[in-house]
Amino acid sequence: MQNIRNIAVIAHVDHGKTTLVDGLLRQSGIFSERDQIEDRVMDSNDLERERGITILSKNTAINYKDTKINIIDTPGHADFGGEVERVLKMVDGVLLLVDAQEGVMPQTKFVVKKALSFGIRPIVVVNKIDKPAAEPDRVVDEVFDLFVAMDANDFQLDFPVIYAAARDGYAIKNLNDEKKNLEPLFEAILEYVPSPSGNKDNALQMQIFTLDYDNYVGKIGIARVFNGVIKKGANVMLAKGDGEKETGRITKLIGFLGLARTEIQEAQAGDIVAIAGFNAIDVGDSIVDPVNPMPLDPMHLEEPTMSVYFSVNDSPLAGLEGKHVTANKLKDRLLKEMQTNIAMRCEEMGEGKFRVSGRGELQITILAENLRREGFEFSISRPEVIIKEIEGIKCEPFEHLVIDTPQDFSGAIIERLGKRKAEMKAMNPMGEGYTRLEFEIPARGLIGYRSEFLTDTKGEGIMNHSFLEFRAFSGNVESRKNGALISMESGEATGFSLFNIQERGTLFITPQTKVYVGMVIGEHSRDNDLDVNPIKAKHLTNMRSSGADEAIKLVPPRDLTLERALEWIEEDEILEITPQNIRIRKKILEPNQRKRVKK
């Protein structure tokens, strides 16, 4: 039987998971000298590369000293916490990465809680020890305190520690050791991660933890073999979470090694493989022996906490910039996304309107950005939190919010968050003039807060949050204070007109931008909406006067990214997204009609 170790790499966002997996792949000798390897090789999606975050969990495998090590790289962002939870059921050990300067962060707490509940003893890797402000000993103490707070048992509290700088490709057992390569980490994996339980002579038991899709073979399930042997072409039974059963044949069996996926003939208990052959396959389903079916427990999946409405673009500029503009195309694409992205839900809400629910704004904006790049044109409403009724009480999702900020700005942050119904739980000095603030806040209170936070901290603050629980509804939360500058004409904006309008607030557009009636072209400096004319040209005469030809100086407009725009809009506004532009508009374009509705 093959010697196998199954591990997941878990950590808070940006603590170096993908960089560490990179180093393990390179130093295991998987790649030949001819292979052209990019940095962060596991981040395969364009958006992952641009943003420097992992969005989907991915698996790879390496060989080290006659042992096959299956490694799963997980996302660190709170919006993708569901991915981490599923992966932990599939592995026997985890590498818990913690930044040697930042220490324990909200997502670290989230993933540790899950790992400990599965009885796993993590190998703690204190990463980025080459940072000037690194304090590895403090961080190890923080991790120990966290384990104690999470009710870890004595075995888990006696965790092994490895110090590393993944970017420079070295790991050490003690801080005074020579910094050579990642061998101490490889050795720690072999020593501390138990071999998979299960026996190849037992009846077949597999469980799906991630989905993939291929245009030729359809749905692909990535699964771990818990017991027995799986063979290509074998007749097996699919046992779904709701008790339904269906028999079928394994048409493809795929093994992992490095970045390659290769077709294999069979796999044994303990291995992680991909299978094709069932269209109805879903995360949490079991693949079992049809003669002696013993399905595994279905997985608990995190529920969505936020939703938006996707709809067909119906603005005056609709259909001019996108390739896919119809409701059918949008519906097909959203349903295709739901096949592999099980943390999201999609419901049709009438002609050309779809309610998409997910774990947070980031997850929804990444879907929107992918659609936009594929040539879709559509509109999105303001995010709303999902309200649930629990035992007759109206409940909403709450988040655990952690902020690292320069000390001078902490007063302003506390005041702002107080108005958004946040409750402060802790305030600790962090060294180097920084303070760490911890809050519990309704998820509604965080919508639209990010841009205010960046302004308040002059871009120096760091904000992280993770889902806490559903709690009783907390009343009204303060939202955007400023009104909008709305175009009352259709045409092309002129510099002359924008020069006069910019005194009234912050502009979102430049001269020559196409505008239409009801389009939002800027943020008003006061709290009411203001209709303006951005297309008025200068009245030309043949009279000369000394002050008439003053140079027009325009302040650069505010750059609207998808996240920024989605946070900014209010209930009566929607976001129009095309492959080339992001525009904000009022739901009701006609000014007189808007006034009537307000009354």
Side-chain angles (χ1 to χ4, degrees):
M1 188 173 166
Q2 195 181 11
N3 210 347
I4 294 176
R5 298 286 187 278
N6 294 321
I7 59 165
V9 186
I10 58 173
H12 184 79
V13 66
D14 226 11
H15 280 195
K17 295 179 294 299
T18 307
T19 310
L20 183 72
V21 175
D22 245 23
L24 293 171
L25 278 168
R26 286 165 198 274
Q27 294 190 22
S28 66
I30 284 289
F31 303 130
S32 71
E33 289 176 12
R34 295 192 304 278
D35 291 344
Q36 294 285 314
I37 309 301
E38 298 180 44
D39 282 345
R40 299 203 327 276
V41 69
M42 295 292 280
D43 283 348
S44 52
N45 173 320
D46 285 348
L47 275 177
E48 291 182 315
R49 292 200 157 279
E50 284 168 31
R51 293 168 185 239
I53 59 171
T54 300
I55 294 168
L56 303 165
S57 61
K58 313 209 180 44
N59 43 309
T60 182
I62 55 178
N63 288 326
Y64 179 76
K65 290 190 177 172
D66 304 327
T67 302
K68 181 180 184 186
I69 303 175
N70 286 313
I71 305 174
I72 306 179
D73 179 20
T74 63
H77 201 283
D79 286 12
F80 310 110
E83 295 258 342
V84 181
E85 193 175 345
R86 300 199 304 272
V87 162
L88 290 174
K89 268 192 108 169
M90 298 299 129
V91 295
D92 308 296
V94 295
L95 300 183
L96 171 66
L97 255 73
V98 191
D99 186 301
Q101 180 182 338
E102 289 182 6
V104 170
M105 296 293 273
Q107 195 64 12
T108 318
K109 293 180 183 174
F110 174 85
V111 292
V112 163
K113 187 176 174 185
K114 299 285 180 209
L116 295 178
S117 69
F118 288 132
I120 294 171
R121 177 173 70 161
I123 297 173
V124 175
V125 180
V126 181
N127 194 22
K128 306 192 182 184
I129 56 169
D130 53 333
K131 276 188 173 180
E135 296 176 83
D137 294 338
R138 170 183 65 84
V139 170
V140 172
D141 292 345
E142 271 184 29
V143 173
F144 184 81
D145 294 345
L146 173 65
F147 278 35
V148 171
M150 298 281 181
D151 295 330
N153 58 36
D154 291 349
F155 174 65
Q156 289 169 328
L157 285 173
D158 185 23
F159 54 84
V161 180
I162 298 283
Y163 302 96
R167 194 186 57 185
D168 298 338
Y170 67 80
I172 45 180
K173 264 194 161 174
N174 302 302
L175 286 168
N176 306 325
D177 291 355
E178 189 190 344
K179 299 167 180 172
K180 284 197 296 195
N181 51 25
L182 289 171
E183 204 157 299
L185 183 55
F186 282 117
E187 293 298 338
I189 291 169
L190 297 191
E191 187 180 341
Y192 298 111
V193 175
S195 296
S197 58
N199 193 328
K200 67 171 188 173
D201 301 325
N202 293 350
L204 175 67
Q205 278 183 312
M206 288 174 79
Q207 193 164 31
I208 311 293
F209 67 93
T210 300
L211 295 176
D212 207 340
Y213 191 82
D214 185 291
N215 289 334
Y216 297 105
V217 296
K219 260 190 181 179
I220 294 174
I222 298 170
R224 172 169 168 181
V225 188
F226 282 94
N227 272 308
V229 176
I230 178 95
K231 294 185 178 179
K232 184 181 175 181
N235 288 321
V236 293
M237 180 182 278
L238 171 69
K240 297 191 70 61
D242 56 8
E244 251 186 76
K245 293 185 170 68
E246 129 181 16
T247 52
R249 200 167 69 85
I250 301 288
T251 55
K252 254 187 190 318
L253 185 62
I254 302 161
F256 299 93
L257 192 62
L259 301 182
R261 291 181 172 198
T262 47
E263 282 205 45
I264 53 175
Q265 293 306 310
E266 67 169 62
Q268 296 180 355
D271 211 350
I272 291 176
V273 291
I275 59 162
F278 290 92
N279 253 343
I281 205 162
D282 256 321
V283 166
D285 292 353
S286 301
I287 302 281
V288 291
D289 185 344
V291 182
N292 182 10
M294 288 185 287
L296 294 151
D297 294 339
M299 290 185 187
H300 158 70
L301 299 174
E302 278 215 329
E303 292 181 39
T305 55
M306 193 171 277
S307 65
V308 298
Y309 288 96
F310 278 69
S311 52
V312 172
N313 185 16
D314 59 356
S315 84
L317 298 178
L320 297 178
E321 296 168 2
K323 197 164 68 176
H324 309 300
V325 294
T326 60
N328 284 346
K329 289 269 190 188
L330 187 61
K331 179 182 176 180
D332 292 347
R333 178 62 182 84
L334 289 173
L335 292 179
K336 185 183 171 194
E337 182 71 25
M338 300 309 136
Q339 283 183 339
T340 54
N341 191 340
I342 59 144
M344 295 183 99
R345 312 255 188 286
C346 176
E347 308 157 63
E348 195 163 354
M349 308 295 288
E351 191 55 47
K353 195 173 187 185
F354 309 90
R355 185 179 183 210
V356 175
S357 312
R359 275 285 300 116
E361 286 171 71
L362 181 69
Q363 200 179 27
I364 289 163
T365 50
I366 279 172
L367 170 61
E369 183 64 44
N370 280 328
L371 260 63
R372 181 187 170 197
R373 291 179 181 205
E374 289 163 26
F376 282 85
E377 193 173 300
F378 55 97
S379 60
I380 295 190
S381 68
R382 181 175 197 257
E384 301 166 2
V385 297
I386 293 171
I387 307 293
K388 277 169 67 172
E389 206 160 285
I390 302 172
E391 295 173 8
I393 300 166
K394 199 161 95 164
C395 295
E396 63 173 333
F398 268 68
E399 301 268 332
H400 175 222
L401 172 68
V402 175
I403 285 176
D404 288 351
T405 170
Q407 282 166 359
D408 307 352
F409 307 134
S410 51
I413 291 168
I414 293 164
E415 187 187 343
R416 280 273 166 128
L417 288 171
K419 291 178 182 169
R420 290 171 172 266
K421 297 278 192 290
E423 195 181 321
M424 190 156 97
K425 291 292 177 190
M427 182 175 182
N428 301 309
M430 282 283 290
E432 291 203 351
Y434 270 72
T435 301
R436 176 166 289 179
L437 308 169
E438 296 194 31
F439 298 89
E440 287 176 5
I441 182 171
R444 279 179 307 143
L446 284 171
I447 298 175
Y449 176 62
R450 206 175 72 106
S451 45
E452 285 183 12
F453 172 73
L454 288 172
T455 309
D456 286 347
T457 60
K458 298 192 167 61
E460 289 184 38
I462 299 170
M463 176 171 98
N464 291 288
H465 53 91
S466 61
F467 174 66
L468 200 59
E469 61 189 355
F470 276 87
R471 286 188 191 165
F473 198 74
S474 58
N476 285 335
V477 169
E478 186 188 81
S479 59
R480 191 178 88 209
K481 291 200 231 17
N482 297 47
L485 296 172
I486 308 158
S487 172
M488 52 201 274
E489 297 286 346
S490 299
E492 272 193 11
T494 63
F496 171 75
S497 188
L498 294 182
F499 176 64
N500 294 319
I501 294 170
Q502 69 183 6
E503 296 167 11
R504 302 297 188 98
T506 310
L507 291 173
F508 298 158
I509 63 167
T510 56
Q512 269 103 48
T513 302
K514 285 194 173 99
V515 296
Y516 52 82
V517 176
M519 178 172 150
V520 175
I521 64 159
E523 181 178 274
H524 193 194
S525 52
R526 301 192 178 176
D527 59 2
N528 62 312
D529 288 349
L530 184 68
D531 289 308
V532 293
N533 180 358
I535 68 167
K536 189 166 66 180
K538 185 176 177 184
H539 185 59
L540 298 175
T541 70
N542 57 3
M543 297 291 287
R544 288 287 182 90
S545 66
S546 58
D549 289 327
E550 286 173 3
I552 289 175
K553 287 189 180 135
L554 288 174
V555 177
R558 184 185 295 171
D559 192 25
L560 278 186
T561 59
L562 220 136
E563 277 98 344
R564 218 180 204 185
L566 197 63
E567 281 184 344
W568 189 84
I569 58 176
E570 280 296 332
E571 294 293 331
D572 62 337
E573 292 157 352
I574 49 179
L575 210 55
E576 179 189 340
I577 298 171
T578 75
Q580 293 166 28
N581 288 297
I582 295 170
R583 303 184 186 99
I584 298 172
R585 50 164 281 202
K586 289 289 181 185
K587 281 182 181 169
I588 301 168
L589 297 176
E590 199 52 51
N592 296 332
Q593 220 176 325
R594 264 202 313 275
K595 283 171 189 150
R596 274 204 299 277
V597 171
K598 269 195 175 173
K599 282 176 186 173

